[in-house]
Amino acid sequence: ANPEDATLAYVRMLRLLARSGFRKAPAQTPNEFALSVPEPAGPLVRNFTQLYLRSRFGRLADELPRLSALLQQIQALRRSARPSEPRA
């Protein structure tokens, strides 16, 4: 694994959250965006972001399996939230 793999995982997370209505502003740092995501996804997003930053800039490839696991948890939260979302 390489740092670009961490970036790809981060972009997947951003796309997933954007579909749920949480979009990262261009001026926001990854940490600022993570802090803006409310419960229940917020803690997972913050943990994911910390792992992403360590993997991307600390070049710690061994974090990639944990990134993938967190991304799956975030996706599962999104799926479980769907039935209670108001329909337009």
Side-chain angles (χ1 to χ4, degrees), residues 16 19 44 70-80:
L16 179 66
R19 287 193 298 265
L44 292 171
L70 281 168
L71 188 59
Q72 288 175 353
Q73 288 180 296
I74 293 166
Q75 192 167 21
L77 273 178
R78 182 177 174 270
R79 282 190 197 125
S80 69

Side-chain angles (χ1 to χ4, degrees), residues 7-65:
T7 300
L8 291 173
Y10 185 73
V11 169
R12 276 189 230 120
M13 183 197 67
L14 291 178
R15 286 186 187 140
L16 179 66
L17 291 172
R19 287 193 298 265
S20 297
F22 303 106
R23 289 178 177 76
K24 181 183 171 296
Q28 279 181 308
T29 67
N31 282 325
E32 288 170 337
F33 174 68
L35 289 170
S36 75
V37 178
E39 301 289 332
L44 292 171
V45 172
R46 288 187 285 281
N47 193 0
F48 184 97
T49 300
Q50 291 306 308
L51 289 172
Y52 157 68
L53 292 172
R54 283 197 305 233
S55 297
R56 177 68 179 102
F57 299 106
R59 308 223 180 251
L60 302 174
D62 61 333
E63 301 287 12
L64 205 53

